[in-house]
Amino acid sequence: MKNKFANRMSKTPRSFVREILKVSENPEIISFAGGLPNPESFPVESISKAVHHVLSKNGSEALQYSTTEGYRPLREYISKRYDSQGLKVDPDEILITNGSQQCLDLVGKVFLNKKDTVVMESPTYLAAIQAFNLYEPVFKTVPLMEDGIDLEKLEEVLKNENPKLFYAVTNFHNPTGITYSEKKRKKLAALLKEYDTILVEDNPYGEIRFMGENILPVKSWLDDGILFGSFSKIVSPGMRLGWIVAKEEVMDKLITVKQASDLHSNYFTQRIVYQYLYTNPVDDHIQKIRNLYKKKRDMMISMMNEYFPPEIHYTHPEGGMFIWVTLPEGISSMELFDMALKENVAFVPGEAFFVDGSGKNTMRLNFTNSDDENIQKGIKSLGKSIKELLAKLKAV
Amino acid sequence: MKNKFANRMSKTPRSFVREILKVSENPEIISFAGGLPNPESFPVESISKAVHHVLSKNGSEALQYSTTEGYRPLREYISKRYDSQGLKVDPDEILITNGSQQCLDLVGKVFLNKKDTVVMESPTYLAAIQAFNLYEPVFKTVPLMEDGIDLEKLEEVLKNENPKLFYAVTNFHNPTGITYSEKKRKKLAALLKEYDTILVEDNPYGEIRFMGENILPVKSWLDDGILFGSFSKIVSPGMRLGWIVAKEEVMDKLITVKQASDLHSNYFTQRIVYQYLYTNPVDDHIQKIRNLYKKKRDMMISMMNEYFPPEIHYTHPEGGMFIWVTLPEGISSMELFDMALKENVAFVPGEAFFVDGSGKNTMRLNFTNSDDENIQKGIKSLGKSIKELLAKLKAV
């Protein structure tokens, strides 16, 4: 059978993070590895009411096939929410998908020929590499700074490589937690326009800002840009509902490939999520999530301040789910991972997020899905292991 | 933007059937066009109870991210059901997907290089052409007979073209309604084995047999074969849940591409469907659907016997949702479509289901989603239009 697989499969190994997540499923492990929302944040009771309403009023309709584009009132809701945030998006420019992960696959299908160039942030969202990889592009990477992509290096790549797509997570980046500044967003938009490269802006965490000021998506300065959104972090990830925003010409192609890929996203759940959003004070709910995550982020940062040696650098995210840690050169986060696991603590070694195998001294910590006690115990334990590794390094 | 699209997009026009379905959404139209289950068959109340159970007992868990493979008890349920039908499938050989449409996409991703040969039945399921098309294969077609594929012509193609995949809907075929005989299934399995071509067996209607004897899937004589299943016709299509059965080596690749495509299928709905299946007499429910559809099929056939001229040939399906009509050579079903629409009757002209543009004198009629009165009125009206066309043809 082996020689029957398509060539693209040889470039797509099973995810390393997936294996780590399996390890960290052991309930004895304090896991900062996953990217899971805190289940406390799921509005179980309100969802239950929404389901009851949908099934009792429109049961047969909600269980039937539906349109590829997605449930129109839900798309109208998303459009209105963008509007309230300062971004004009027509409901017809929105396609409902299976989470933002599927947006990546659909964009890959619509745009990527083999050997097309895609510019990725370095580091970047691992599953974006996997999704695009199936269309066999060439990846070019540009380093990420504290306020967004390195524009000088980006311009070099745009000039020399004529890339088709530029992929970015602009708010509370996965894995680094950083956010693009407004200044950088504007310049980025101008640059992409100048070199005719398509913006693919992924924004799954945008609503989870717990500090600082909201900034408009890069797309608001670049009308042709493609923008992803998701209900995973504000309602439920298990429901796998996200969306993609694009102008008509691109939307037409996206709908064609969405239809070929799975006809349409789960309509029953679209109806439920709409009903939930329509009848509940969603902003209050999101504010609760923000408060919860800010507390956990503050707790983790304060523990890191206390227990990590001063040589260790880490980001101070204003939202989202992740803190990014940079260890001194020469310290391997894979080695730290093995040590930590013996102490029942897990995280994701950072090299998984680099296309080029660099980042061996980096790591990603998730702060949203552990209770306070585990954050305290886990960071303290990590600090101890890091100090041991540092001592070993200095002794050499 | 146009010159940015991937080459594959030029081969994938928006579906013609899609446009027809839009026309037939008009409530004044008697539509035999769609492929919709009858909403009477949806177990709304039992689903409601299942949701209540899942959310009250395991709400937070059901709304969280889950594994790519799918909810294990659901996979075990599918495995046991196959077992009771005489097919041995391990739960680890089952991956939950977004309906069987996604199975097509995942198989395309895992197996198809550009210009690989895929053998399709002629006619075949339209959306399978669309799904595979995105991987830019070369299609070879083999005519379908009343008892399945034309084995002689298939062997020619297998011998001369070295195809990678053979795609078939073996029960109550879409669009023709025919079913592969057991004899043909065994010979087909032997032939595919001999020429080392992978079986892709799509079986969305298998449970909806209302006459005749159940026959095992072709896969039961060809262990390496890939088999699709779906809950769309027995529980709800709006929930978009299906599955793919494959041996370990292939399953490993399927899981990798499923993860890259959308992480996993809607977990909330997987839990609900499992709960529904676990607590309800599913066989009674399926029997109700069979009885309902048999009545409608019988009604349509008896109206066709009465109102269609004797030159018209049509299939007598033992299950599923479609009857396939062959008009005399020289009569165009597109012309009939235009005439019928003026009388507020819609169907799908058959050429949409042929890769090579043939089948201009064929059409597909859906019998599951119209009430008795509309079946009577619609077929009577179609018969009248057909007679007019015949008279015109004879007058020439």
Side-chain angles (χ1 to χ4, degrees):
Chain A
M1 189 64 86
K2 211 161 261 169
N3 59 354
K4 297 274 189 191
F5 295 132
N7 299 334
R8 70 179 70 84
M9 295 311 296
S10 63
K11 294 172 190 164
T12 312
R14 282 284 268 282
S15 157
F16 162 65
V17 170
R18 195 187 153 82
E19 306 308 317
I20 287 182
L21 293 183
K22 272 195 184 157
V23 170
S24 62
E25 266 170 22
N26 179 343
E28 282 175 23
I29 302 268
I30 297 172
S31 178
F32 306 134
L36 303 187
N38 195 303
E40 269 182 51
S41 73
F42 301 151
V44 177
E45 206 143 308
S46 309
I47 291 285
S48 187
K49 279 183 195 150
V51 177
H52 181 75
H53 185 274
V54 168
L55 282 177
S56 60
K57 302 276 175 192
N58 305 95
S60 289
E61 201 191 319
L63 297 177
Q64 186 59 286
Y65 281 114
S66 188
T67 56
T68 302
E69 291 84 342
Y71 185 46
R72 188 157 178 106
L74 184 61
R75 294 186 288 133
E76 283 166 357
Y77 180 94
I78 296 167
S79 163
K80 274 184 205 143
R81 193 157 180 93
Y82 276 130
D83 198 26
S84 74
Q85 293 163 349
L87 183 67
K88 294 274 170 211
V89 171
D90 192 277
D92 284 335
E93 295 171 345
I94 296 169
L95 167 69
I96 305 294
T97 63
N98 310 328
S100 42
Q101 184 69 29
Q102 193 183 38
C103 303
L104 291 161
D105 183 55
L106 299 179
V107 163
K109 270 202 184 94
V110 166
F111 288 104
L112 294 181
N113 287 320
K114 193 172 170 173
K115 295 194 178 159
D116 275 349
T117 298
V118 177
V119 185
M120 305 292 271
E121 301 163 316
S122 185
T124 187
Y125 173 51
L126 179 70
I129 305 174
Q130 286 182 293
F132 288 152
N133 232 337
L134 290 169
Y135 303 97
E136 302 179 85
V138 174
F139 290 116
K140 297 286 165 187
T141 60
V142 174
L144 208 53
M145 303 163 80
E146 294 268 347
D147 64 344
I149 200 79
D150 182 330
L151 288 174
E152 269 181 47
K153 296 222 165 106
L154 177 64
E155 183 159 17
E156 256 174 60
V157 174
L158 295 178
K159 193 181 287 180
N160 299 327
E161 310 282 349
N162 187 27
K164 205 173 241 182
L165 308 177
F166 168 66
Y167 172 74
V169 182
T170 49
N171 288 315
F172 328 123
H173 183 264
N174 180 359
T176 67
I178 70 107
T179 292
Y180 281 53
S181 68
E182 184 170 294
K183 197 173 140 195
K184 204 151 237 186
R185 287 175 197 231
K186 288 182 187 168
K187 285 190 182 165
L188 173 61
L191 214 53
L192 292 174
K193 192 166 193 164
E194 184 183 344
Y195 290 98
D196 196 24
T197 290
I198 299 165
L199 168 73
V200 182
E201 184 173 18
D202 198 353
N203 188 25
Y205 315 109
E207 295 271 14
I208 314 296
R209 172 181 282 281
F210 37 69
M211 309 163 79
E213 289 293 310
N214 260 330
I215 314 173
L216 282 169
V218 180
K219 181 180 163 65
S220 59
W221 293 283
L222 189 62
D223 203 33
D224 272 349
I226 295 169
L227 176 62
F228 302 164
S230 172
F231 290 114
S232 290
K233 276 70 185 183
I234 53 176
V235 184
S236 149
M239 288 182 163
R240 310 299 310 119
L241 286 181
W243 64 88
I244 185 163
V245 180
K247 286 281 168 194
E248 189 184 355
E249 194 190 359
V250 174
M251 184 48 68
D252 187 64
K253 301 293 181 192
L254 287 168
I255 291 169
T256 300
V257 300
K258 170 71 181 168
Q259 192 188 22
S261 299
D262 57 11
L263 301 184
H264 61 78
S265 287
N266 192 310
Y267 183 59
F268 174 60
T269 315
Q270 290 182 62
R271 295 288 295 245
I272 294 167
V273 167
Y274 171 72
Q275 184 61 28
Y276 164 73
L277 295 168
Y278 181 71
T279 50
N280 286 276
V282 176
D283 284 312
D284 294 356
H285 171 65
I286 294 176
Q287 192 53 50
K288 262 189 231 157
I289 302 177
R290 289 179 189 138
N291 295 345
L292 176 68
Y293 289 3
K294 177 170 190 309
K295 250 186 66 193
K296 290 184 182 294
R297 175 262 197 209
D298 288 350
M299 165 75 77
M300 190 174 270
I301 295 266
S302 87
M303 292 305 290
M304 290 163 86
N305 289 343
E306 189 169 344
Y307 291 103
F308 279 15
E311 296 95 324
I312 312 304
H313 178 83
Y314 37 89
T315 56
H316 292 65
E318 295 187 325
M321 304 170 68
F322 304 109
I323 295 174
W324 181 248
V325 179
T326 308
L327 304 165
E329 287 286 341
I331 290 198
S332 151
S333 64
M334 271 307 300
E335 199 179 340
L336 179 63
F337 178 79
D338 291 335
M339 285 171 72
L341 207 57
K342 281 180 197 142
E343 308 291 326
N344 283 344
V345 178
F347 59 85
V348 182
E351 62 183 284
F353 304 99
F354 289 84
V355 173
D356 57 5
S358 64
K360 295 203 189 306
N361 60 326
T362 60
M363 58 200 255
R364 187 189 78 175
L365 300 180
N366 167 263
F367 55 81
T368 60
N369 198 27
S370 301
D371 60 28
D372 292 358
E373 197 192 325
N374 277 342
I375 292 179
Q376 290 167 2
K377 270 174 69 182
I379 295 296
K380 201 168 159 183
S381 166
L382 270 182
K384 193 166 152 272
S385 300
I386 291 172
K387 281 173 192 160
E388 279 177 41
L389 278 177
L390 265 181
K392 232 173 75 181
L393 184 74
K394 282 173 187 163
V396 174
Chain B
M1 191 64 86
K2 210 162 257 167
N3 60 353
K4 296 277 189 189
F5 295 132
N7 299 333
R8 70 180 70 84
M9 296 311 296
S10 62
K11 294 173 189 162
T12 312
R14 281 285 268 283
S15 157
F16 161 65
V17 170
R18 194 187 153 82
E19 306 309 317
I20 288 182
L21 293 184
K22 271 195 185 156
V23 170
S24 62
E25 265 170 23
N26 179 343
E28 282 176 22
I29 302 267
I30 297 173
S31 177
F32 306 133
L36 302 187
N38 196 302
E40 270 183 51
S41 73
F42 301 151
V44 178
E45 205 143 310
S46 309
I47 290 285
S48 187
K49 280 183 195 148
V51 178
H52 180 75
H53 185 274
V54 168
L55 281 177
S56 59
K57 303 275 175 191
N58 305 96
S60 290
E61 200 191 320
L63 297 178
Q64 186 58 286
Y65 282 114
S66 187
T67 56
T68 302
E69 291 85 341
Y71 185 46
R72 188 158 178 106
L74 184 61
R75 293 186 287 133
E76 283 167 357
Y77 180 93
I78 296 166
S79 163
K80 273 186 203 140
R81 191 154 182 97
Y82 275 131
D83 198 27
S84 75
Q85 294 163 348
L87 182 69
K88 293 276 170 211
V89 170
D90 192 277
D92 285 335
E93 295 171 345
I94 297 168
L95 167 69
I96 304 294
T97 62
N98 309 330
S100 42
Q101 184 69 28
Q102 192 183 38
C103 302
L104 291 161
D105 183 55
L106 299 179
V107 163
K109 268 201 185 96
V110 165
F111 288 104
L112 294 181
N113 288 319
K114 192 172 172 172
K115 296 196 176 158
D116 276 349
T117 299
V118 177
V119 185
M120 305 293 270
E121 302 162 318
S122 185
T124 187
Y125 173 50
L126 178 69
I129 304 174
Q130 287 182 292
F132 288 152
N133 233 337
L134 290 169
Y135 303 96
E136 302 179 86
V138 174
F139 290 115
K140 297 287 164 185
T141 60
V142 174
L144 208 54
M145 305 163 79
E146 294 267 348
D147 63 345
I149 199 80
D150 182 329
L151 289 173
E152 270 180 47
K153 296 222 167 105
L154 177 64
E155 183 160 16
E156 256 174 62
V157 173
L158 295 179
K159 195 182 286 181
N160 299 329
E161 309 284 347
N162 188 28
K164 205 175 241 183
L165 307 177
F166 169 65
Y167 172 75
V169 182
T170 49
N171 288 315
F172 327 124
H173 181 264
N174 181 359
T176 67
I178 71 105
T179 292
Y180 282 54
S181 68
E182 182 169 295
K183 197 172 141 197
K184 204 151 239 187
R185 288 175 197 232
K186 287 183 188 168
K187 283 190 183 165
L188 171 61
L191 214 52
L192 293 174
K193 191 166 193 163
E194 184 183 343
Y195 289 98
D196 196 23
T197 290
I198 298 166
L199 168 73
V200 182
E201 184 173 17
D202 198 352
N203 188 25
Y205 315 108
E207 295 271 13
I208 314 297
R209 172 182 281 283
F210 37 68
M211 308 164 79
E213 290 292 310
N214 260 330
I215 313 173
L216 281 169
V218 180
K219 181 180 164 64
S220 59
W221 293 283
L222 188 62
D223 203 33
D224 272 349
I226 294 169
L227 176 62
F228 302 164
S230 172
F231 290 114
S232 291
K233 277 71 187 183
I234 52 176
V235 184
S236 150
M239 289 182 164
R240 311 298 311 120
L241 286 181
W243 64 88
I244 184 163
V245 181
K247 285 283 167 193
E248 190 185 355
E249 194 190 358
V250 173
M251 183 48 68
D252 186 64
K253 301 293 181 193
L254 287 168
I255 292 169
T256 299
V257 299
K258 169 70 181 168
Q259 192 189 22
S261 300
D262 58 9
L263 300 184
H264 62 77
S265 287
N266 192 312
Y267 183 59
F268 174 60
T269 315
Q270 289 183 60
R271 296 287 296 246
I272 294 167
V273 167
Y274 171 73
Q275 184 62 29
Y276 165 74
L277 295 169
Y278 181 72
T279 49
N280 286 276
V282 176
D283 284 313
D284 294 356
H285 172 64
I286 294 175
Q287 192 54 48
K288 262 189 231 158
I289 302 178
R290 289 179 188 139
N291 295 344
L292 177 69
Y293 289 2
K294 178 171 190 308
K295 249 186 66 193
K296 291 185 182 294
R297 174 263 197 208
D298 288 351
M299 164 75 75
M300 191 174 270
I301 295 265
S302 87
M303 293 304 292
M304 290 163 85
N305 288 343
E306 191 170 342
Y307 291 103
F308 279 14
E311 296 94 324
I312 312 304
H313 178 82
Y314 36 89
T315 56
H316 292 65
E318 296 186 326
M321 305 170 68
F322 304 108
I323 295 173
W324 182 248
V325 180
T326 307
L327 305 164
E329 286 287 340
I331 290 199
S332 151
S333 63
M334 269 308 299
E335 198 179 340
L336 179 63
F337 177 79
D338 290 335
M339 287 172 69
L341 208 56
K342 280 179 199 146
E343 309 291 327
N344 283 344
V345 179
F347 59 84
V348 182
E351 60 183 286
F353 304 99
F354 289 84
V355 174
D356 57 5
S358 64
K360 294 202 189 307
N361 60 326
T362 60
M363 58 200 255
R364 186 189 79 174
L365 300 180
N366 167 264
F367 54 81
T368 60
N369 198 28
S370 301
D371 61 27
D372 292 358
E373 199 192 324
N374 277 343
I375 291 178
Q376 289 166 3
K377 272 174 67 180
I379 295 296
K380 202 169 159 181
S381 167
L382 271 182
K384 193 166 150 272
S385 300
I386 290 172
K387 281 172 192 159
E388 279 177 41
L389 278 178
L390 265 181
K392 232 174 74 181
L393 184 74
K394 282 172 186 162
V396 174

